[in-house]
Every structure is written in structure tokens, then in C-alpha cells.
Amino acid sequence: VPAVRCSMVYVDETMSRLFVMASHDNPELDMLEIDLRKYPEIQEAIETKQCVIIEDVCNHPLMSEVRKYLVGLDFQSIIVVPITFGADVLGTLCLRTARGNYKFSEREIRFCTAVARASANALKNALLHRQVVEAAADHRRTGEKLGRILNNSPDLILTTDNDGLITEFNRGAEKLLGYQKEELVGEPYGNLLCEPDEALLDKVRSYGVLPNYAQPMRTRSGTTLDVELHMSVLKDEDDNVAGSVWVGRDLTALKAAQTKLVQAEKLSTIGEVISGVAHELNNPLSGVLGFSQLLMARHGDGPAVRELEKINEAAQRCQKIVKNLLSFARAHKPERKYLGVNGILEKTVDLK
């Protein structure tokens, strides 16, 4: 076809942006974006999905706004053939001739239409290929991002298939249990449990989610860790159960702290009991001490004085023990003062 310019234009999915894919007068051109408003003939072909033929740009009403520009380029006739695939317009094939009363013949129009149809198949295949490549890249980026999230989590995260074989084992799980991912992928989850529970996956499938599930787990060195697991079913893209996901946290230190807290509470309660008992003992001891001293003063050097002294000494000793118990049970604010080391040692021995 004796055209001075032949180009192929791609239209994006929104039908709002145009890109010149190829132009015979500029082989290096690659996806040059152009303004659709400056090409009314292309816009008409896209909207009507019909071939647009402009025999003379100087007289055709469609070209009124761009006529001066086209005349300056010495164009006379234009043919725009839409490149369609099914109901979709993928682009256009555009040919322009120089001035000289040239008109496109019926044979040339049929030929351009056939080229546009052939180009549509090639273009659709190229677009599908690009979509597949972009989708694969998106999946790869998503997979890499999820992998970073998985491996940077401090919690234990592992997945199993429907047969109970481990399919994922993150770095948090490696640090917690001491195993390497390569050692456990493909192995049954029961290898990690201190007490194998073959019905565990059935429980997860039955409930869908199994939260706060306390499960002792075995480390590579053989020690036992108290792990709290949050377990749920893992589904595939068709919403079918494909396995399970475990997220766990080591509760060994927490349980030890809870045990110490319970013991501290017990000691606090014992202290309160000791304080109450000591107060109750103080009253009768005061009576024993007071009356023994009165009897000692009344009998003077009589035969009962020796026995009264023994009673008084025993009562004083009991009072001293009660005083130490009260000191032990009461909370004292810290203070700085001079103390004799011997006195501290004597009180400690007495308490012992």
C-alpha cells in the first residue's frame, strides 16, 4: 500500500491511553504514548469498532480540529482499521498517504483489514504472555514477602499437609526447637510432640480453629518446652482443607514465673498467719512473764524461786522468738543505719 506512514497503535484496557507500538518510519519506536484527543480518526475507529476512511483531510468534518496540523505534514488520505479480538479493541492499524488526490482502493482496504485481523491474534498472545509474566512476578514478590514475614516472626510457625507431614518450618521454630527446616520438612508432626496425639489434626479439622492449646514439645537436645499453640486449618485456592497451620509460643519461662508468683503468694499468706499467731501468743506470754516476776519478788529466796526463774527465762525466750517472727512477717521500708554484725547473726541463728 503506497502510504507514507504506517503505524500500529495499542489501546490500554481503560480505553483512555494510546501507545504507538510500531511505526515503519521509526523502527526504534517502542510504546510511545500519544494523546487520544489529537487523533479523532483513531478515537472514532475505537468507539465504533469500524474501519474509518478519510479521503481528504481538508474536507472531512471529523478532522476539523487537527486539519491544519495534518496539512502541515502534507497528509491527504487516512485509513484506520481497528484491531479487534472478539469484543475487545486492542488497537488500530493507521495508514496515511501524501497529498496528490490518492484514494485507498477496495482491495487495499480489504488487505489492511486482513492484516489487522492477523495482528489481533499476535497482539492478544503477546498481551496474554505479558499478563502471565507479570502475574508470575507478582506471585514471586508476594511469596518472597510472605517468606520474609514467616522467617522474621519470633513465634514458632509450621504447616502440615492432610497426612500430618510438616511442609513449612520457620526460623522462629528453628531457634525454639533447635531443628533445621531441612531436617523436618516431610517428617510427621508427631516427632515434635512429647506425647504423640494422632487425633490432633482431627480436632483442628473438626473445630476449624484450636486456640491456646497447651502442648509439650521436644527440642533437638531432648529437653521439653511448654508451648502454647494456636492451630487452624489451612485451605487451598478452592477452599478445600489442605492441612493445618500452627503458631506457637514458648511458655516455659512464663510458667516458671507463674510458679514463683504462686509461691510468693503462699509465703505472703504464711507471713500474715505468722503475724496473727505471734500477736495472739504475745498476750499470754506477757501474763506468764508478769506473774512469774511478781512471784519471784514475793517469794524472795524461797525454795520456789529457782523454778520461777526457769519459767521466766523460758517465757523471755518465747517472747524473743515471737519478736523475730513479727520482724520476719512485717514489711519494712528500706533505711540506712549502723548495725552490729553479731546482732544480725544472733537473730538469724535464733530464727533458724
Side-chain angles (χ1 to χ4, degrees), residues 41-127:
E41 71 278 18
I42 295 178
Q43 188 172 4
E44 180 75 11
I46 291 171
E47 291 176 354
T48 63
K49 300 181 183 179
Q50 299 293 325
C51 181
V52 175
I53 301 172
I54 309 294
E55 292 183 348
D56 189 351
V57 296
C58 293
N59 299 317
H60 201 289
L62 186 64
M63 313 306 291
S64 59
E65 294 186 7
V66 294
R67 183 176 292 122
K68 185 177 180 181
Y69 170 73
L70 293 173
V71 170
L73 293 174
D74 203 28
F75 290 147
Q76 178 185 5
S77 300
I78 300 174
I79 180 171
V80 181
V81 184
I83 300 173
T84 59
F85 189 89
D88 299 329
V89 178
L90 305 180
T92 61
L93 179 65
C94 307
L95 293 94
R96 295 178 174 86
T97 64
R99 296 184 62 80
N101 298 318
Y102 179 83
K103 296 181 180 179
F104 292 100
S105 68
E106 289 294 328
R107 180 175 177 274
E108 289 169 342
I109 292 170
R110 287 197 302 271
F111 177 74
C112 290
T113 303
V115 171
R117 288 199 199 102
S119 301
N121 291 325
L123 182 54
K124 187 65 176 180
N125 288 336
L127 291 172

Coordinates of all heavy atoms in Angstrom, one line a residue, residues 41-127:
E41 N -9.6 10.4 14.3 CA -9.9 9.3 13.5 C -9.7 8.0 14.2 O -10.4 7.0 14.0 CB -9.0 9.3 12.2 CG -7.5 9.1 12.4 CD -6.7 10.3 12.9 OE1 -7.3 11.2 13.4 OE2 -5.5 10.3 12.7
I42 N -8.6 7.9 15.1 CA -8.4 6.7 15.9 C -9.5 6.5 16.9 O -10.0 5.4 17.2 CB -7.0 6.8 16.5 CG1 -5.9 6.8 15.5 CG2 -6.8 5.6 17.5 CD1 -4.5 6.9 16.0
Q43 N -9.9 7.6 17.5 CA -10.9 7.6 18.5 C -12.2 7.1 17.9 O -12.9 6.3 18.5 CB -11.1 9.0 19.2 CG -12.1 9.0 20.3 CD -12.1 10.3 21.0 OE1 -11.5 11.3 20.6 NE2 -12.8 10.4 22.1
E44 N -12.5 7.5 16.7 CA -13.7 7.1 16.0 C -13.7 5.6 15.7 O -14.7 4.9 15.9 CB -13.9 7.9 14.7 CG -15.1 7.5 13.9 CD -16.4 8.1 14.4 OE1 -16.3 8.9 15.4 OE2 -17.5 7.7 13.9
A45 N -12.5 5.1 15.3 CA -12.4 3.6 15.0 C -12.5 2.8 16.3 O -13.1 1.7 16.2 CB -11.1 3.4 14.3
I46 N -12.0 3.3 17.4 CA -12.1 2.6 18.6 C -13.5 2.5 19.1 O -14.0 1.5 19.6 CB -11.2 3.2 19.7 CG1 -9.7 3.0 19.3 CG2 -11.4 2.6 21.1 CD1 -8.7 3.8 20.2
E47 N -14.2 3.6 19.0 CA -15.6 3.7 19.6 C -16.6 2.9 18.7 O -17.5 2.2 19.2 CB -16.0 5.2 19.7 CG -15.3 5.9 20.8 CD -15.6 7.4 20.8 OE1 -16.4 7.8 19.9 OE2 -15.2 8.1 21.7
T48 N -16.4 3.0 17.4 CA -17.4 2.3 16.5 C -16.9 0.9 16.2 O -17.8 0.1 15.7 CB -17.5 3.1 15.2 OG1 -16.3 3.1 14.5 CG2 -18.0 4.5 15.5
K49 N -15.6 0.5 16.4 CA -15.1 -0.8 16.0 C -15.2 -1.0 14.5 O -15.3 -2.1 14.0 CB -15.7 -1.9 16.8 CG -15.6 -1.8 18.3 CD -16.2 -3.0 19.0 CE -16.1 -2.8 20.5 NZ -16.8 -3.9 21.2
Q50 N -15.3 0.1 13.8 CA -15.4 0.0 12.3 C -14.2 0.7 11.6 O -13.6 1.6 12.3 CB -16.7 0.7 11.8 CG -18.0 0.1 12.4 CD -18.2 -1.3 11.8 OE1 -17.9 -1.5 10.6 NE2 -18.8 -2.2 12.6
C51 N -13.9 0.4 10.4 CA -12.9 1.0 9.6 C -13.2 2.4 9.3 O -14.4 2.7 8.9 CB -12.6 0.2 8.4 SG -11.3 0.9 7.3
V52 N -12.3 3.4 9.6 CA -12.5 4.8 9.3 C -11.7 5.2 8.1 O -10.5 5.0 8.2 CB -12.2 5.6 10.6 CG1 -12.3 7.1 10.2 CG2 -13.1 5.3 11.7
I53 N -12.3 5.8 7.1 CA -11.6 6.2 5.9 C -11.8 7.7 5.7 O -12.9 8.2 5.6 CB -12.1 5.4 4.7 CG1 -12.0 3.9 4.8 CG2 -11.4 5.9 3.4 CD1 -12.6 3.1 3.8
I54 N -10.7 8.4 5.7 CA -10.7 9.8 5.4 C -10.0 10.0 4.1 O -8.8 9.9 3.9 CB -9.9 10.6 6.5 CG1 -10.3 10.2 7.9 CG2 -10.0 12.1 6.3 CD1 -11.7 10.6 8.3
E55 N -10.9 10.3 3.0 CA -10.3 10.5 1.7 C -9.6 11.8 1.5 O -8.6 11.9 0.7 CB -11.5 10.4 0.7 CG -12.1 9.0 0.6 CD -13.1 8.9 -0.5 OE1 -13.6 9.9 -1.0 OE2 -13.5 7.7 -0.7
D56 N -10.1 12.9 2.2 CA -9.4 14.2 2.1 C -9.5 14.9 3.4 O -10.6 15.2 3.9 CB -10.0 15.0 1.0 CG -9.2 16.3 0.7 OD1 -8.3 16.6 1.5 OD2 -9.6 17.0 -0.2
V57 N -8.4 15.1 4.1 CA -8.4 15.7 5.5 C -8.9 17.1 5.4 O -9.4 17.7 6.4 CB -7.0 15.6 6.1 CG1 -6.6 14.2 6.4 CG2 -6.0 16.3 5.3
C58 N -8.8 17.7 4.2 CA -9.2 19.1 4.1 C -10.7 19.3 4.1 O -11.2 20.4 4.4 CB -8.6 19.7 2.8 SG -6.8 19.9 2.9
N59 N -11.4 18.3 3.8 CA -12.9 18.4 3.6 C -13.7 17.5 4.6 O -14.9 17.7 4.7 CB -13.3 18.0 2.2 CG -12.6 18.9 1.1 OD1 -12.6 20.1 1.3 ND2 -12.2 18.3 0.1
H60 N -13.0 16.7 5.3 CA -13.8 15.8 6.2 C -14.0 16.5 7.5 O -13.1 17.0 8.2 CB -13.0 14.5 6.4 CG -13.8 13.3 6.9 ND1 -14.4 13.3 8.1 CD2 -14.2 12.2 6.2 CE1 -15.1 12.2 8.3 NE2 -15.0 11.5 7.1
P61 N -15.3 16.5 8.0 CA -15.6 17.2 9.2 C -15.0 16.6 10.5 O -14.8 17.4 11.4 CB -17.2 17.1 9.3 CG -17.5 15.9 8.4 CD -16.5 15.9 7.3
L62 N -14.7 15.3 10.5 CA -14.0 14.7 11.6 C -12.7 15.3 12.0 O -12.2 15.3 13.1 CB -13.9 13.2 11.4 CG -13.4 12.3 12.6 CD1 -14.4 12.4 13.8 CD2 -13.3 10.9 12.1
M63 N -12.0 15.9 10.9 CA -10.6 16.3 11.1 C -10.5 17.8 11.3 O -9.4 18.4 11.2 CB -9.8 15.9 9.8 CG -10.0 14.5 9.4 SD -9.7 13.3 10.7 CE -8.0 13.5 10.9
S64 N -11.6 18.5 11.6 CA -11.6 19.9 11.6 C -10.6 20.5 12.6 O -9.9 21.5 12.4 CB -13.0 20.4 12.0 OG -13.5 19.9 13.2
E65 N -10.5 19.9 13.8 CA -9.6 20.4 14.8 C -8.2 20.1 14.6 O -7.3 20.8 15.1 CB -10.1 19.8 16.2 CG -11.4 20.3 16.7 CD -11.8 19.9 18.1 OE1 -10.8 19.3 18.7 OE2 -12.9 20.1 18.5
V66 N -7.8 19.1 13.8 CA -6.4 18.8 13.6 C -6.0 19.0 12.1 O -5.0 18.6 11.7 CB -6.2 17.3 14.0 CG1 -6.3 17.2 15.5 CG2 -7.1 16.4 13.2
R67 N -6.9 19.6 11.3 CA -6.7 19.7 9.9 C -5.4 20.5 9.6 O -4.6 20.1 8.7 CB -7.9 20.4 9.2 CG -7.8 20.5 7.7 CD -9.0 21.2 7.1 NE -10.1 20.2 7.2 CZ -11.3 20.5 7.9 NH1 -11.4 21.7 8.4 NH2 -12.3 19.6 7.9
K68 N -5.2 21.6 10.2 CA -4.1 22.5 10.0 C -2.8 21.7 10.2 O -1.8 21.8 9.5 CB -4.1 23.7 10.9 CG -3.0 24.7 10.6 CD -3.2 25.9 11.5 CE -2.1 27.0 11.2 NZ -2.3 28.2 12.1
Y69 N -2.8 20.9 11.3 CA -1.6 20.1 11.7 C -1.3 19.0 10.6 O -0.1 18.9 10.1 CB -1.8 19.4 13.0 CG -0.8 18.4 13.4 CD1 0.5 18.8 13.8 CD2 -1.1 17.1 13.4 CE1 1.5 17.9 14.1 CE2 -0.1 16.1 13.7 CZ 1.1 16.5 14.1 OH 2.1 15.6 14.4
L70 N -2.3 18.4 10.1 CA -2.1 17.3 9.1 C -1.7 17.9 7.7 O -0.9 17.3 7.0 CB -3.4 16.5 9.0 CG -3.8 15.7 10.2 CD1 -5.2 15.0 10.0 CD2 -2.8 14.6 10.4
V71 N -2.3 19.0 7.4 CA -1.9 19.7 6.1 C -0.5 20.1 6.2 O 0.3 20.0 5.2 CB -2.8 20.9 5.8 CG1 -2.3 21.7 4.7 CG2 -4.3 20.4 5.6
G72 N 0.0 20.5 7.4 CA 1.4 20.9 7.5 C 2.3 19.7 7.3 O 3.4 19.9 6.9
L73 N 1.8 18.5 7.6 CA 2.6 17.3 7.4 C 2.4 16.7 6.0 O 3.0 15.7 5.7 CB 2.2 16.2 8.5 CG 2.5 16.5 9.9 CD1 2.0 15.5 10.8 CD2 4.0 16.6 10.1
D74 N 1.6 17.4 5.2 CA 1.3 17.0 3.8 C 0.6 15.7 3.7 O 0.9 14.9 2.8 CB 2.7 17.0 3.0 CG 2.5 17.2 1.5 OD1 1.5 17.8 1.2 OD2 3.3 16.6 0.8
F75 N -0.4 15.4 4.6 CA -1.2 14.2 4.5 C -2.5 14.5 3.8 O -3.0 15.6 4.0 CB -1.5 13.7 5.9 CG -0.3 13.1 6.6 CD1 -0.2 13.2 8.0 CD2 0.7 12.5 5.9 CE1 0.9 12.6 8.6 CE2 1.8 11.9 6.5 CZ 1.9 12.0 7.9
Q76 N -3.0 13.6 3.1 CA -4.3 13.8 2.4 C -5.3 12.7 2.8 O -6.3 13.0 3.3 CB -4.1 13.8 0.9 CG -5.5 13.9 0.2 CD -5.4 13.8 -1.3 OE1 -4.4 13.5 -1.8 NE2 -6.5 14.0 -2.0
S77 N -4.9 11.4 2.6 CA -5.9 10.3 2.9 C -5.4 9.5 4.1 O -4.2 9.4 4.3 CB -6.0 9.4 1.7 OG -6.5 10.1 0.6
I78 N -6.4 9.1 4.9 CA -6.1 8.3 6.1 C -7.0 7.1 6.2 O -8.2 7.3 5.9 CB -6.2 9.2 7.4 CG1 -5.2 10.3 7.4 CG2 -6.0 8.3 8.6 CD1 -5.5 11.3 8.5
I79 N -6.5 6.0 6.5 CA -7.3 4.8 6.8 C -6.9 4.3 8.2 O -5.7 4.1 8.5 CB -7.2 3.7 5.7 CG1 -8.1 2.5 6.1 CG2 -5.8 3.3 5.6 CD1 -8.2 1.5 5.0
V80 N -7.9 4.0 9.0 CA -7.7 3.5 10.4 C -8.6 2.2 10.5 O -9.8 2.3 10.4 CB -8.1 4.5 11.5 CG1 -7.8 3.9 12.9 CG2 -7.4 5.8 11.3
V81 N -7.9 1.1 10.7 CA -8.6 -0.2 10.8 C -8.4 -0.7 12.3 O -7.3 -0.8 12.8 CB -7.9 -1.3 9.9 CG1 -8.7 -2.6 10.0 CG2 -7.9 -0.7 8.5
P82 N -9.6 -0.9 13.0 CA -9.5 -1.4 14.4 C -8.9 -2.8 14.4 O -9.3 -3.6 13.6 CB -10.9 -1.3 14.9 CG -11.8 -1.4 13.6 CD -11.0 -0.7 12.5
I83 N -8.1 -3.0 15.4 CA -7.5 -4.3 15.7 C -8.4 -4.9 16.8 O -8.2 -4.5 18.0 CB -6.0 -4.3 16.1 CG1 -5.2 -3.6 14.9 CG2 -5.5 -5.7 16.4 CD1 -3.8 -3.4 15.3
T84 N -9.3 -5.8 16.5 CA -10.2 -6.4 17.5 C -10.0 -7.9 17.7 O -9.6 -8.6 16.7 CB -11.7 -6.1 17.0 OG1 -11.9 -6.8 15.8 CG2 -12.0 -4.6 16.9
F85 N -10.2 -8.3 18.9 CA -10.2 -9.7 19.3 C -11.5 -10.0 20.0 O -11.6 -9.6 21.2 CB -9.0 -10.0 20.1 CG -8.7 -11.5 20.3 CD1 -7.9 -12.2 19.4 CD2 -9.3 -12.2 21.4 CE1 -7.7 -13.6 19.6 CE2 -9.1 -13.5 21.6 CZ -8.3 -14.2 20.7
G86 N -12.4 -10.6 19.3 CA -13.7 -10.8 19.9 C -14.4 -9.5 20.1 O -14.5 -8.7 19.1
A87 N -14.8 -9.1 21.3 CA -15.5 -7.9 21.5 C -14.5 -6.8 22.0 O -14.9 -5.6 22.2 CB -16.6 -8.0 22.6
D88 N -13.2 -7.2 22.1 CA -12.2 -6.2 22.7 C -11.5 -5.5 21.5 O -11.1 -6.1 20.5 CB -11.2 -7.0 23.5 CG -11.9 -7.6 24.7 OD1 -12.9 -7.1 25.2 OD2 -11.4 -8.7 25.2
V89 N -11.3 -4.2 21.7 CA -10.5 -3.4 20.8 C -9.1 -3.3 21.4 O -8.9 -2.8 22.4 CB -11.1 -2.0 20.6 CG1 -10.2 -1.2 19.6 CG2 -12.5 -2.1 20.0
L90 N -8.1 -3.9 20.7 CA -6.8 -3.9 21.2 C -5.9 -2.8 20.7 O -5.0 -2.3 21.3 CB -6.1 -5.2 20.8 CG -6.8 -6.5 21.2 CD1 -6.0 -7.7 20.7 CD2 -7.0 -6.6 22.7
G91 N -6.3 -2.2 19.5 CA -5.6 -1.1 19.0 C -6.1 -0.8 17.6 O -7.2 -1.2 17.2
T92 N -5.2 -0.1 16.8 CA -5.6 0.2 15.4 C -4.4 0.1 14.5 O -3.2 0.3 15.0 CB -6.1 1.7 15.4 OG1 -5.1 2.6 15.8 CG2 -7.4 1.8 16.2
L93 N -4.7 -0.1 13.2 CA -3.7 0.0 12.2 C -3.9 1.3 11.4 O -5.0 1.5 10.9 CB -3.8 -1.2 11.3 CG -2.8 -1.3 10.1 CD1 -1.4 -1.5 10.6 CD2 -3.2 -2.5 9.2
C94 N -3.0 2.2 11.3 CA -3.2 3.5 10.7 C -2.2 3.7 9.5 O -1.0 3.5 9.7 CB -2.9 4.6 11.8 SG -3.8 4.4 13.3
L95 N -2.8 4.1 8.4 CA -2.0 4.4 7.2 C -2.4 5.8 6.7 O -3.6 6.2 6.7 CB -2.3 3.4 6.1 CG -1.8 2.0 6.4 CD1 -2.9 1.1 6.9 CD2 -1.2 1.3 5.1
R96 N -1.3 6.6 6.3 CA -1.5 7.9 5.8 C -0.8 8.1 4.5 O 0.3 7.6 4.3 CB -1.0 9.0 6.8 CG -1.8 9.0 8.1 CD -1.2 10.0 9.1 NE -2.0 10.2 10.3 CZ -1.9 9.4 11.4 NH1 -1.0 8.4 11.4 NH2 -2.7 9.6 12.4
T97 N -1.5 8.7 3.5 CA -0.8 9.0 2.2 C -0.5 10.5 2.0 O -1.2 11.3 2.7 CB -1.7 8.5 1.0 OG1 -2.9 9.3 1.0 CG2 -2.1 7.1 1.2
A98 N 0.4 10.8 1.2 CA 0.7 12.2 0.9 C -0.3 12.8 0.0 O -1.1 12.1 -0.7 CB 2.1 12.2 0.2
R99 N -0.3 14.1 -0.1 CA -1.3 14.8 -0.9 C -1.0 14.4 -2.4 O 0.1 14.1 -2.8 CB -1.1 16.3 -0.7 CG -1.5 16.7 0.7 CD -1.5 18.2 0.8 NE -2.4 18.9 -0.1 CZ -3.7 19.0 0.2 NH1 -4.2 18.5 1.4 NH2 -4.5 19.6 -0.6
G100 N -2.1 14.5 -3.2 CA -2.0 14.1 -4.6 C -3.2 13.4 -5.1 O -3.1 12.6 -6.0
N101 N -4.3 13.6 -4.4 CA -5.6 13.0 -4.8 C -5.6 11.5 -4.8 O -6.3 10.8 -5.7 CB -6.0 13.5 -6.2 CG -6.3 15.0 -6.2 OD1 -6.8 15.6 -5.3 ND2 -5.8 15.7 -7.3
Y102 N -4.8 10.9 -3.9 CA -4.8 9.5 -3.8 C -5.9 9.0 -2.9 O -6.1 9.6 -1.8 CB -3.4 9.0 -3.3 CG -3.3 7.5 -3.2 CD1 -3.0 6.7 -4.3 CD2 -3.6 6.8 -2.0 CE1 -3.0 5.3 -4.2 CE2 -3.6 5.4 -1.9 CZ -3.3 4.7 -3.1 OH -3.3 3.3 -3.0
K103 N -6.6 7.9 -3.3 CA -7.6 7.3 -2.5 C -7.3 5.8 -2.4 O -6.8 5.2 -3.3 CB -9.0 7.5 -3.2 CG -9.4 8.9 -3.3 CD -10.8 9.0 -3.9 CE -11.3 10.5 -4.0 NZ -12.6 10.6 -4.7
F104 N -7.6 5.3 -1.2 CA -7.4 3.9 -0.9 C -8.4 3.1 -1.7 O -9.6 3.4 -1.7 CB -7.5 3.5 0.6 CG -6.4 4.1 1.4 CD1 -6.6 5.3 2.1 CD2 -5.2 3.5 1.4 CE1 -5.6 5.8 2.9 CE2 -4.2 4.0 2.2 CZ -4.4 5.2 3.0
S105 N -8.0 2.0 -2.4 CA -8.9 1.2 -3.2 C -9.5 0.2 -2.3 O -9.1 -0.1 -1.1 CB -8.1 0.5 -4.3 OG -7.2 -0.5 -3.7
E106 N -10.6 -0.5 -2.8 CA -11.3 -1.5 -2.0 C -10.4 -2.7 -1.7 O -10.4 -3.3 -0.6 CB -12.5 -2.0 -2.8 CG -13.7 -1.0 -2.9 CD -14.3 -0.7 -1.6 OE1 -14.3 -1.7 -0.7 OE2 -14.7 0.4 -1.3
R107 N -9.5 -3.0 -2.7 CA -8.6 -4.1 -2.5 C -7.6 -3.8 -1.4 O -7.3 -4.6 -0.5 CB -7.8 -4.4 -3.8 CG -6.8 -5.5 -3.7 CD -6.2 -5.8 -5.1 NE -5.2 -6.8 -5.0 CZ -3.9 -6.6 -4.7 NH1 -3.5 -5.3 -4.4 NH2 -3.1 -7.6 -4.6
E108 N -7.1 -2.5 -1.3 CA -6.2 -2.1 -0.3 C -6.9 -2.1 1.1 O -6.3 -2.5 2.1 CB -5.6 -0.8 -0.6 CG -4.7 -0.8 -1.8 CD -4.3 0.6 -2.3 OE1 -5.0 1.6 -2.0 OE2 -3.3 0.8 -3.0
I109 N -8.1 -1.7 1.1 CA -8.9 -1.7 2.4 C -9.1 -3.1 2.9 O -8.9 -3.4 4.1 CB -10.2 -1.0 2.2 CG1 -10.0 0.5 1.9 CG2 -11.1 -1.2 3.5 CD1 -11.2 1.3 1.5
R110 N -9.4 -4.1 2.0 CA -9.6 -5.5 2.4 C -8.3 -6.0 2.9 O -8.2 -6.8 3.9 CB -10.1 -6.3 1.2 CG -11.6 -6.0 0.9 CD -12.1 -7.2 0.0 NE -11.4 -7.3 -1.2 CZ -11.7 -6.6 -2.3 NH1 -12.7 -5.8 -2.4 NH2 -11.0 -6.8 -3.4
F111 N -7.2 -5.7 2.2 CA -5.9 -6.2 2.6 C -5.5 -5.7 4.0 O -5.0 -6.4 4.8 CB -4.8 -5.7 1.6 CG -3.4 -6.1 1.9 CD1 -3.0 -7.4 1.8 CD2 -2.5 -5.2 2.4 CE1 -1.7 -7.8 2.2 CE2 -1.2 -5.5 2.8 CZ -0.8 -6.8 2.7
C112 N -5.7 -4.4 4.3 CA -5.4 -3.8 5.6 C -6.3 -4.4 6.7 O -5.8 -4.7 7.8 CB -5.6 -2.3 5.6 SG -4.4 -1.4 4.6
T113 N -7.5 -4.7 6.4 CA -8.4 -5.4 7.3 C -7.9 -6.8 7.7 O -7.9 -7.2 8.8 CB -9.9 -5.5 6.8 OG1 -10.3 -4.2 6.4 CG2 -10.8 -6.1 7.8
A114 N -7.4 -7.5 6.6 CA -6.9 -8.8 6.9 C -5.6 -8.8 7.7 O -5.4 -9.6 8.6 CB -6.6 -9.5 5.5
V115 N -4.8 -7.8 7.5 CA -3.6 -7.6 8.3 C -3.9 -7.3 9.7 O -3.3 -7.8 10.7 CB -2.7 -6.5 7.7 CG1 -1.5 -6.1 8.6 CG2 -2.1 -6.9 6.3
A116 N -5.0 -6.5 9.9 CA -5.4 -6.1 11.3 C -5.9 -7.4 12.0 O -5.6 -7.5 13.2 CB -6.5 -5.1 11.2
R117 N -6.6 -8.3 11.3 CA -7.1 -9.5 12.0 C -5.9 -10.4 12.4 O -5.9 -10.9 13.5 CB -8.0 -10.3 11.0 CG -9.4 -9.6 10.8 CD -10.3 -10.7 10.2 NE -11.5 -10.0 9.6 CZ -11.6 -9.9 8.3 NH1 -10.6 -10.3 7.4 NH2 -12.6 -9.3 7.8
A118 N -5.0 -10.5 11.5 CA -3.8 -11.3 11.8 C -3.0 -10.7 13.0 O -2.5 -11.4 13.9 CB -2.9 -11.5 10.6
S119 N -2.9 -9.4 13.0 CA -2.2 -8.7 14.0 C -2.9 -8.9 15.4 O -2.3 -8.9 16.4 CB -2.1 -7.2 13.7 OG -1.4 -7.1 12.5
A120 N -4.3 -8.9 15.3 CA -5.0 -9.1 16.6 C -4.6 -10.4 17.3 O -4.5 -10.3 18.5 CB -6.5 -9.1 16.3
N121 N -4.5 -11.5 16.6 CA -4.1 -12.7 17.2 C -2.7 -12.6 17.9 O -2.5 -13.1 19.0 CB -4.2 -13.9 16.2 CG -5.6 -14.2 15.8 OD1 -6.5 -14.1 16.6 ND2 -5.7 -14.5 14.5
A122 N -1.8 -12.1 17.1 CA -0.4 -11.9 17.6 C -0.4 -11.0 18.8 O 0.3 -11.3 19.8 CB 0.5 -11.4 16.5
L123 N -1.1 -9.9 18.8 CA -1.1 -8.9 19.9 C -1.8 -9.5 21.1 O -1.3 -9.3 22.2 CB -1.9 -7.7 19.4 CG -1.9 -6.5 20.4 CD1 -0.5 -6.1 20.9 CD2 -2.6 -5.3 19.8
K124 N -2.9 -10.3 20.9 CA -3.6 -10.9 22.1 C -2.7 -11.9 22.7 O -2.6 -11.9 24.0 CB -4.9 -11.6 21.6 CG -5.7 -12.1 22.7 CD -6.2 -11.0 23.6 CE -7.2 -11.5 24.7 NZ -7.7 -10.4 25.5
N125 N -1.9 -12.7 21.9 CA -1.0 -13.7 22.5 C 0.1 -12.9 23.3 O 0.5 -13.4 24.4 CB -0.4 -14.5 21.4 CG -1.4 -15.5 20.8 OD1 -2.3 -15.9 21.5 ND2 -1.2 -15.9 19.6
A126 N 0.6 -11.8 22.7 CA 1.6 -11.1 23.4 C 1.1 -10.5 24.7 O 1.8 -10.5 25.7 CB 2.1 -9.9 22.5
L127 N -0.1 -10.0 24.7 CA -0.7 -9.4 25.9 C -0.9 -10.5 27.0 O -0.7 -10.3 28.2 CB -2.0 -8.7 25.6 CG -2.0 -7.4 24.8 CD1 -3.4 -7.0 24.4 CD2 -1.3 -6.3 25.6

